[in-house]
């Protein structure tokens, strides 16, 4: 992982974007696991204006030009749609890239790939769910996002991380990490390794269905955790989907599953008191309702049939990624304490158990909502 950039360097970078006014404080911001994010305060003729400055993690995103081409396409596509629809607060509803002095979408520098976005004001992200309305709002926003990108040709976007949701490859990567065990950590997490190995049977399920032509590739977000959508402070509505680095062709099921992973759990992702970790069926119900309210128009039966399962699969996949990273010495996800990735893995595995125990009920909920949505169709 790269050392944090010194303050002077941040100021110099900001100076190379088309930002007018007097630049004030630049501070680290947010709780993402991948990129370096900063808030930039600017005084524009007496009006306080904020921007988000980000250094893309190029260890994770090996082709930053491809990432930024995707993001340019997606943000412009969304902005065009919003403007055509006459939406007045369009710049709060889709991310807006600020160009560099040369008119580019980003800066390619030896210390990283830099970009600046307008700061979405009067809205915020949540690391953990506080009430069911947030699950519904977040799911509706992510579904709308899929819907609004449905007319963008799938082939027009690059795969920014190859095999990002290839659960089989993620599983084999874990097996390899356990075998290599470079830091001797495997002996301290045998129960977690056994938990993972005992569930190999699920890893090919969606891959097989996709290979059989049952599940279409669509433009999807691929990182739909709760803190990647901004909820309006006043209305609670999901105003803007953010963190677009992994928008690429994929299965809608990965997006739905990751919403369930993060928006049905009443604790942080790294909760140490595992007794508190569980999926809440009431949260799942409103989440599924919010998702189907916008996605029912384009989903296929084959996708809907797998919605409940997708929660368990994606939570397992992210759990084994945390476990593999712990074994390899915490080289991928940012960590803030010893054993952090193992704590995160334990929470995911606890959630997998909870999804397993509730899957029949989750299916019933989805079936009932889907029946109602189909009856309401013209
Ligand atoms: P990461 O890939 O590291 O998760 P994100 O793009 O999700 O990075 O940004 C990290 C956090 O910064 C988000 O969770 C959100 O709170 C905040 N953030 C990102 N973009 C904006 C924006 N345009 N306006 C306001 N806050 C933002
Ligand atoms: C990372 O960037 P962030 O923090 O939103 C990760 C996701 C994981 C998530 C787990 C590019 O998301 O895949 O699901 O952490 N992003 C990348 O919290 O690997
Ligand atoms: Mg994020």
């Amino acid at each position: 992982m790269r050392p944090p950039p010194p303050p002077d360097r941040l100021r110099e970078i900001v100076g190379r974007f088309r930002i007018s006014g007097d630049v004030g404080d630049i501070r680290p911001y947010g709780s993402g696991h991948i990129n370096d994010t900063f808030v930039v305060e600017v005084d524009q003729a007496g009006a306080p204006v904020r921007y988000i400055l980000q250094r893309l993690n190029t260890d994770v995103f090996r082709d930053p030009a491809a990432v930024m081409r995707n993001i340019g396409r997606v943000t412009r596509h969304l902005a065009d749609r919003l403007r055509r629809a006459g939406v007045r607060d369009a710049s709060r509803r889709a991310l807006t890239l600020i160009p560099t002095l040369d008119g580019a979408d980003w800066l390619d520098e030896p210390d990283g790939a830099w970009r600046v976005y307008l700061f979405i004001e009067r809205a915020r992200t949540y690391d953990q769910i506080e009430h069911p309305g947030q699950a519904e709002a977040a799911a509706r926003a992510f579904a709308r996002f899929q819907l609004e990108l449905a007319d963008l040709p799938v082939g027009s976007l690059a795969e920014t991380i190859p095999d990002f949701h290839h659960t089989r490859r993620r599983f084999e990567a874990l097996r390899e990490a356990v075998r290599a065990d470079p830091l001797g950590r495997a002996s301290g997490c045998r129960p977690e390794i056994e938990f993972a190995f005992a569930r190999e049977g699920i890893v090919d399920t969606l891959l097989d269905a996709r290979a059989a032509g049952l599940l279409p590739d669509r433009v999807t977000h691929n990182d739909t955790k709760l803190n990647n959508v901004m909820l309006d402070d006043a209305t609670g509505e999901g105003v803007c989907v953010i963190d677009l680095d992994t928008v690429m062709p994929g299965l809608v099921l990965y997006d739905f599953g990751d919403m369930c992973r993060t928006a049905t759990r009443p604790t942080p992702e790294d909760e140490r008191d595992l007794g508190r970790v569980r999926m809440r069926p009431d949260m799942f119900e409103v989440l599924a309702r919010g998702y189907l309210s916008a996605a029912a128009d384009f989903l296929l039966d084959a996708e809907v049939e797998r919605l409940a399962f997708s929660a368990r699969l994606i939570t397992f996949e992210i759990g084994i990624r945390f476990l593999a990273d712990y074994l390899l010495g915490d080289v991928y996800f940012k960590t803030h304490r010893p054993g952090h990735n193992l704590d995160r893995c334990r929470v995911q595995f606890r959630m997998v158990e909870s999804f397993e125990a509730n899957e029949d009920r989750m299916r019933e909920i989805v079936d009932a909502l889907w029946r109602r949505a189909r009856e309401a169709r013209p």
Side-chain angles (χ1 to χ4, degrees):
M1 269 168 233
R2 290 165 199 252
D8 286 354
R9 175 67 181 148
L10 293 174
R11 225 159 257 288
E12 194 187 320
I13 292 290
V14 169
R16 292 175 56 190
F17 284 85
R18 284 191 197 155
I19 294 178
S20 50
D22 308 306
V23 177
D25 278 354
I26 306 178
R27 288 188 311 273
Y29 194 76
S31 52
H33 297 340
I34 304 294
N35 296 316
D36 295 322
T37 303
F38 306 88
V39 56
V40 181
E41 292 178 354
V42 178
D43 181 316
Q44 283 177 354
V49 176
R50 298 195 286 177
Y51 295 88
I52 284 282
L53 166 68
Q54 265 184 342
R55 179 166 69 168
L56 183 69
N57 183 334
T58 44
D59 295 331
V60 167
F61 297 98
R62 296 303 175 100
D63 186 354
V67 173
M68 295 310 298
R69 254 194 318 274
N70 279 8
I71 294 183
R73 273 196 191 126
V74 166
T75 52
R76 280 185 263 277
H77 180 86
L78 294 172
D80 283 352
R81 276 188 79 108
L82 288 162
R83 297 222 161 80
R84 264 187 280 125
V87 174
R88 290 177 57 142
D89 58 348
S91 65
R92 281 184 86 228
R93 292 182 177 274
L95 284 178
T96 307
L97 282 166
I98 301 297
T100 67
L101 297 180
D102 300 332
D105 279 344
W106 62 292
L107 268 186
D108 189 6
E109 288 287 297
D111 60 354
W114 297 88
R115 64 185 172 211
V116 173
Y117 290 115
L118 285 184
F119 192 101
I120 315 279
E121 297 287 355
R122 303 186 314 281
R124 51 166 289 215
T125 54
Y126 294 80
D127 288 332
Q128 80 190 68
I129 195 105
E130 290 167 2
H131 58 80
Q134 295 172 327
E136 179 161 19
R140 180 174 291 136
F142 281 124
R144 231 189 274 137
F145 182 82
Q146 291 174 345
L147 185 65
E148 284 161 359
L149 295 178
D151 56 339
L152 202 60
V154 173
S156 66
L157 296 181
E159 199 179 358
T160 58
I161 300 181
D163 297 326
F164 190 55
H165 285 303
H166 197 299
T167 319
R168 165 58 64 184
R169 300 234 160 95
R170 297 291 189 185
F171 186 83
E172 295 308 330
L174 171 66
R175 209 178 340 236
E176 182 51 31
V178 172
R179 199 198 53 72
D181 192 19
L183 300 168
R185 289 180 173 180
S187 58
C189 50
R190 282 286 155 212
E192 288 75 20
I193 294 171
E194 274 161 31
F195 182 97
F197 286 176
R199 284 164 179 76
E200 182 177 0
I202 65 170
V203 304
D204 297 312
T205 308
L206 294 186
L207 295 167
D208 288 348
R210 181 192 211 169
L214 297 173
L215 302 172
D217 272 355
R218 303 181 189 274
V219 174
T220 48
H221 184 281
N222 294 300
D223 189 4
T224 51
K225 61 198 247 193
L226 180 66
N227 73 11
N228 283 334
V229 59
M230 309 220 32
L231 304 185
D232 189 280
D233 290 341
T235 65
E237 182 199 358
V239 274
C240 188
V241 168
I242 60 168
D243 203 344
L244 307 180
D245 301 323
T246 52
V247 177
M248 56 181 158
L251 301 182
V252 288
L253 293 163
Y254 299 137
D255 281 5
F256 183 77
D258 208 29
M259 293 171 215
C260 299
R261 176 181 79 86
T262 56
T264 68
R265 178 193 66 213
T267 74
E269 187 177 53
D270 54 1
E271 172 65 51
R272 279 192 267 211
D273 178 359
L274 292 177
R276 296 185 56 225
V277 177
R278 66 194 182 96
M279 72 83 64
R280 281 186 35 184
D282 57 331
M283 296 281 190
F284 177 80
E285 178 152 16
V286 290
L287 187 153
R289 191 185 310 137
Y291 182 68
L292 287 174
S293 71
D297 285 346
F298 65 82
L299 289 178
L300 304 175
D301 284 331
E303 292 170 313
V304 176
E305 280 160 18
R306 292 165 175 82
L307 287 175
F309 169 74
S310 73
R312 165 157 66 109
L313 182 81
I314 203 77
T315 306
F316 178 70
E317 181 189 288
I318 290 162
I320 63 178
R321 288 175 62 197
F322 284 138
L323 182 56
D325 197 36
Y326 171 71
L327 291 169
L328 295 177
D330 310 308
V331 292
Y332 185 95
F333 297 103
K334 286 184 184 175
T335 52
H336 306 290
R337 60 180 191 240
H340 205 168
N341 274 318
L342 183 57
D343 290 341
R344 291 169 174 152
C345 160
R346 288 180 172 143
V347 170
Q348 308 318 305
F349 286 178
R350 183 69 206 90
M351 286 296 286
V352 168
E353 288 175 329
S354 188
F355 285 131
E356 286 169 351
N358 284 283
E359 199 156 307
D360 288 344
R361 190 157 165 206
M362 291 162 68
R363 269 181 217 287
E364 282 163 19
I365 291 171
V366 171
D367 286 349
L369 289 167
W370 184 232
R371 248 194 325 273
R372 237 175 289 152
R374 281 164 51 133
E375 279 160 18
R377 270 189 195 164

